[in-house]
Amino acid sequence: MDKLEVISLLEDLSHHLLDIAENGVNAGADFVDMGLEEDFEGDLVRMWVRDNGRGMSKEVAEMAVDPFYTSRSTRKVGLGLPFLKQAAEACGGTFRLESKLGEGTLTEASFRLSHIDRPPVGDLGSTMMALLSGHPNVRWRFTFRCRGQYVFDSAEALEILEDPELFKTPDVCLWVRDSVREGVEEARRGG
């Protein structure tokens, strides 16, 4: 995969959430708390992903935002975090990466909501569907805030389903996707 292919995969904020959440799972996380907030009064959109994976040393965390560093063996560059950092800062926002060995990692990025180059939010429902069907044994909590708040917690869904493997079935995948989409729209309306 070359640089342009990676960049085209990260064309919206939901893809960035997916990429960072996958990093956490690859680092051994079994709980990922993530979310996105649209603050129209403050002209800000903020996203975050917190995982309980292996975490990184301070030195590795500093290198993680270097596009020429990656811990992966499948490609020679790591563009996800550096690209997110660059995009956030170019849109009048901020980027923060905090990690502790044995405790996990927090990644946050903010963008000026009205900035012309701000990436669109994207399809948060499809992102959650992909994460949950790909990693059904991970607990996923997704929060969306705007005029109201919506929270999807896979632990609550698992109480009903009882078997995490059901998160891989087509009917449940579509239910997750549609529930998140509807919850996000309701939160945008203020419900």
Side-chain angles (χ1 to χ4, degrees):
M1 185 174 294
D2 67 17
K3 181 179 176 181
L4 290 177
E5 289 174 309
V6 172
I7 290 171
S8 69
L9 290 175
L10 300 174
E11 63 190 19
D12 61 43
L13 299 181
S14 70
H15 291 145
H16 281 289
L17 285 170
L18 178 70
D19 179 61
I20 297 166
E22 286 280 350
N23 289 347
V25 172
N26 291 336
D30 63 4
F31 176 57
V32 179
D33 179 36
M34 54 194 277
L36 193 132
E37 177 179 14
E38 293 176 328
D39 177 0
F40 291 99
E41 289 181 21
D43 191 31
L44 184 73
V45 62
R46 183 177 75 89
M47 57 177 277
W48 68 92
V49 178
R50 180 185 306 271
D51 69 64
N52 68 348
R54 284 188 296 277
M56 298 176 271
S57 68
K58 183 179 178 184
E59 296 77 25
V60 171
E62 289 172 0
M63 290 188 295
V65 294
D66 179 345
F68 300 106
Y69 169 81
T70 185
S71 60
R72 295 182 183 181
S73 58
T74 55
R75 63 178 189 252
K76 295 179 182 175
V77 294
L79 294 172
L81 291 174
F83 187 59
L84 176 61
K85 180 179 187 294
Q86 178 186 5
E89 291 172 351
C91 294
T94 60
F95 176 85
R96 180 169 71 129
L97 178 68
E98 291 182 3
S99 191
K100 289 187 180 177
L101 280 173
E103 294 183 25
T105 302
L106 169 67
T107 305
E108 290 183 332
S110 67
F111 300 78
R112 216 173 80 231
L113 192 60
S114 62
H115 197 284
I116 193 167
D117 292 326
R118 178 188 54 83
V121 169
D123 188 347
L124 297 167
S126 290
T127 292
M128 286 308 302
M129 177 184 72
L131 290 169
L132 197 50
S133 64
H135 308 284
N137 292 308
V138 172
R139 178 179 174 199
W140 299 98
R141 184 171 57 210
F142 169 74
T143 304
F144 179 83
R145 295 185 193 115
C146 190
R147 293 173 185 90
Q149 177 171 293
Y150 168 76
V151 178
F152 176 88
D153 191 328
S154 65
E156 294 173 3
L158 191 55
E159 288 177 12
I160 297 165
L161 296 174
E162 297 179 353
D163 180 1
E165 290 300 307
L166 291 175
F167 285 124
K168 296 179 177 181
T169 64
D171 287 343
V172 175
C173 284
L174 294 175
W175 173 78
V176 167
R177 182 197 68 190
D178 294 344
S179 294
V180 172
R181 285 178 178 172
E182 290 168 15
V184 165
E185 288 310 311
E186 180 72 19
R188 282 185 171 137
R189 289 191 298 269

